[in-house]
Amino acid sequence: MAHIDKNQPLGGNEMPRFGGPATMMRLPYHTTAEGLGACFVGIPLDIGTSNRSGTRHGPRQIRAESCMLRPYNMATGAAPFDCLQVADIGDIAINTFDLKKTVDIITDAYGRILQNPCIPLTLGGDHTLTYPILRAMRKKHGKVALIHVDAHADTNDEMFGEKIAHGTPFRRAFEDDLLDCSKVFQIGLRGTGYSKDDFNWSRDRGFTVIQAEECWGKSMKPLMADIRERIGDSPVYLSYDIDSLDPAFAPGTGTVEIGGLSVWQGLEIIRGCSGLNLVGCDLVEVSPPYDPSGNTALIGANLLYEMLCVLPGVVSRDPT
């Protein structure tokens, strides 16, 4: 039974799916995270991209496609809106002409969110945004474990001479001592490189790298059971780049690589986070101009909902 004191998504029988508020799952809009257990927040950012831009439109399109979602998870039994007070708190007002200033804007904004006992679920936006979020997480939680699902390691030192870009966030996070390196997992890395050592920077810092080829034709349940055991009760952040999925499923992104994960593997990864001490999640790199069907954004909306379903405090069945 739904708790009447908690926000519920606007249902398709109450309002046609093409109507209603333009919020995530057509939830109520709140101006702050006060009083919330979890919140959806957008970062309409693409000035950190290196190839195809358009992720500034990601949060809006993800919200638009999220009208298809319903509150109860039929696979896991999770009913997150009965367990947590959830709302959409809108977008971070970035400086679209200055990426370095935007990084500080994002850190400050998440610092304010984290003054509340609220877990932020971020709608991206390019992957640059994870670095300033992790800076804010460090101030509240200390160093965090990280589950990073992506086609790319995003550990470049520079891109075109710049230290801040969507290919550098986890190099900067390492340098700023934001990560518990023995509990960092990068899943789905693949594609061509500049040298045979491209993924070894991560390995040399203690990260665990699971390349996409290791995932082909397999369930992710055993991997996630091992990751849960290794992370234990440490605070953990989940960063999910939509380009981790094969472009057959998610073409609407900026830096596509063939041979990626399937949608059902993506679901297994996120559902396999149930029981972890998740302190924040993001879904990044949805670029709507490259998928006019809206399917990439629809997948993004579903994955964000699945993240909500595995947050601490949400009751579900055993994901294994």
Side-chain angles (χ1 to χ4, degrees):
M1 180 181 296
H3 296 282
I4 60 174
D5 60 329
K6 290 186 171 61
N7 297 333
Q8 296 290 321
L10 182 60
N13 293 322
E14 301 170 76
M15 169 68 70
R17 297 195 184 280
F18 46 81
T23 56
M24 185 68 181
M25 296 183 71
R26 303 191 296 181
L27 285 161
Y29 169 72
H30 285 208
T31 56
T32 73
E34 185 178 358
L36 301 178
C39 68
F40 292 104
V41 54
I43 303 182
L45 174 71
D46 65 7
I47 53 175
T49 56
S50 57
N51 185 32
R52 306 193 304 195
S53 59
T55 53
R56 67 180 63 188
H57 304 293
R60 182 168 290 183
Q61 188 67 23
I62 291 168
R63 288 183 173 110
E65 299 298 337
S66 75
C67 68
M68 285 301 301
L69 293 167
R70 303 168 186 86
Y72 185 77
N73 192 317
M74 300 300 293
T76 68
F81 301 102
D82 294 351
C83 301
L84 298 174
Q85 182 71 297
V86 188
D88 189 323
I89 64 169
D91 291 338
I92 305 299
I94 68 162
N95 182 333
T96 197
F97 303 110
D98 192 318
L99 186 57
K100 295 182 180 66
K101 288 182 180 178
T102 289
V103 164
D104 290 336
I105 290 168
I106 294 169
T107 297
D108 291 344
Y110 278 74
R112 291 190 293 274
I113 292 170
L114 295 174
Q115 288 175 1
N116 305 277
C118 178
I119 302 173
L121 302 169
T122 301
L123 292 64
D126 76 58
H127 220 154
T128 311
L129 61 83
T130 305
Y131 167 53
I133 294 174
L134 289 173
R135 294 199 307 187
M137 291 287 169
R138 177 74 160 88
K139 294 178 183 177
K140 179 168 184 177
H141 300 289
K143 293 192 288 188
V144 296
L146 175 71
I147 299 173
H148 170 213
V149 191
D150 203 325
H152 311 99
D154 291 349
T155 55
N156 293 348
D157 186 28
E158 295 181 346
M159 300 188 79
F160 295 96
E162 295 293 330
K163 294 285 191 179
I164 304 295
H166 76 159
T168 69
F170 301 109
R171 173 78 70 111
R172 301 287 88 82
F174 168 80
E175 292 172 347
D176 286 3
D177 199 28
L178 309 182
L179 303 173
D180 181 347
C181 294
S182 66
K183 297 180 179 181
V184 173
F185 301 87
Q186 296 186 302
I187 306 171
L189 308 192
R190 64 186 187 276
T192 54
Y194 292 105
S195 83
K196 63 182 178 64
D197 295 320
D198 277 11
F199 297 153
N200 287 339
W201 186 93
S202 295
R203 295 184 175 103
D204 291 344
R205 271 74 190 171
F207 299 2
T208 300
V209 175
I210 302 100
Q211 292 183 219
E213 289 80 3
E214 300 174 60
C215 304
W216 289 354
K218 296 179 182 178
S219 168
M220 297 291 97
K221 290 183 179 180
L223 171 65
M224 294 310 299
D226 178 61
I227 288 174
R228 287 196 304 274
E229 182 177 356
R230 292 173 63 183
I231 289 177
D233 60 0
S234 296
V236 57
Y237 188 87
L238 171 61
S239 185
Y240 199 109
D241 190 323
I242 202 72
D243 72 23
S244 64
L245 300 178
D246 190 87
F249 301 101
T253 191
T255 314
V256 292
E257 306 283 358
I258 69 164
L261 304 176
S262 68
V263 171
W264 37 95
Q265 286 176 316
L267 290 171
E268 287 181 325
I269 289 169
I270 295 174
R271 290 173 182 173
C273 293
S274 180
L276 290 173
N277 180 21
L278 284 164
V279 295
C281 310
D282 63 52
L283 188 288
V284 299
E285 296 287 354
V286 170
S287 184
Y290 292 95
D291 185 3
S293 73
N295 284 347
T296 304
L298 176 64
I299 292 170
N302 275 270
L303 295 182
L304 282 158
Y305 167 75
E306 293 284 344
M307 293 174 190
L308 177 66
C309 289
V310 296
L311 293 185
V314 176
V315 178
S316 64
R317 295 194 294 268
D318 187 340
T320 60

